[in-house]
Amino acid sequence: MSGKDSILDLFYRLVEVQAPSGFEEPMMRAFIDEIKLYVDEVHGTPRGNVIAIQKGSDPTAPKVALVSHLDQIGFIVFNIDTAGFIRFRKIGGSVTRAIQGQHLQILTEKGPIVGVVGMKPGHITTPAEANTIPPIEEMYIDIGARSREEALAMGVMNGTPITYTTSPLKLANGLIASPSVDDRAGCAALITIAKRFANKRPKATVYYIGSVEEEIGLRGAETCLHDINVDMAVAIDTFPAGFQPDVNMRDLFYEIGRGAGLHVGEQGDRVRIQSQQVHRWLRRTAEAHNIPHQIGIMSGGTDAMTLMQTRGGIPACTIGIPRRYSHSPVEVFAPSDLENLIEIVANAIMDLESDFDTTRPGVG
């Protein structure tokens, strides 16, 4: 990241990197290349997580881990039929209704092979079929091959990862539509914060961590803090926003363009509460610096819930960038929310004093 780079320049560069869950190596390399100029040490782990360390000016100050995931949703080749059509399955939670008719790229060892997700001609589609979303087991990718042998010769084989080929678009009012906003935006935030502290170090030592396999079960985060002596952690991710015609505010009340989301907890099959000490630290910073933010319970899950279960328990919470159309190739976000998130986290760390206590009241 050069001095003239904007946050969007960095984001666009990261979006170009294709790294679905389990195949993050290209993003591991990109993350290291971008952040290594601003930290004292950076290394990868056998599990695949990338850890960059930026030493603070006061060894007694709390040590903070900032975690964003390197992976993205995608697909994987499941089988190739005799006519050369590719059967595939999901890696992560891609929205099924968004898949048909899309351009995809199969990331072979010989290079990417582009294809399209085919569909039955509209002229012979029944009304019932026209209003039904087929399961992914019935979908197929057309790469132009005429046989299974030709597809294999092109480098396509079972187990090859696949991603969308959609490119970012600039919408009105400064909004951006793009694949992989989740979590290229979070990775861009980590790198930008590291750059900000490169020449003016906070008291706290900061660990910038790119985790792997978040989209398939928060798997990288399960191990990323085991060998690191940190006092608290913040997961920086994106999260679903509402305020669109087919979403009720009852279900999703966050809105893009209204600031970063400071989550009290996360809701999946149940509500799970995050560290309120870390949450209040971020919230007080946002309030003190008058930085736009939103407070609530997000839908979904982030690395924070796994980070909290590391060793004896690491106090952790999530701060995020709201996005529309989650887990589709056209996730929409407001760059101002990303910028506000960076301001909150950077100011919170810069203001952190050695006497900050992450212990829950009544303990100790």
Side-chain angles (χ1 to χ4, degrees), residues 179-203:
S180 309
V181 175
D182 179 13
D183 191 24
R184 297 295 187 264
C187 292
L190 258 63
I191 295 163
T192 302
I193 294 168
K195 179 182 178 182
R196 181 165 173 166
F197 288 157
N199 296 318
K200 187 179 180 181
R201 296 291 177 97
K203 294 180 180 179

Side-chain angles (χ1 to χ4, degrees), residues 210-243:
S211 66
V212 296
E213 298 179 24
E214 190 269 357
E215 297 291 359
I216 55 174
L218 318 180
R219 290 162 58 86
E222 290 180 0
T223 65
C224 73
L225 297 184
H226 271 280
D227 299 322
I228 302 175
N229 183 26
V230 299
D231 298 289
M232 57 183 171
V234 178
I236 298 179
D237 207 334
T238 63
F239 64 93
F243 288 84

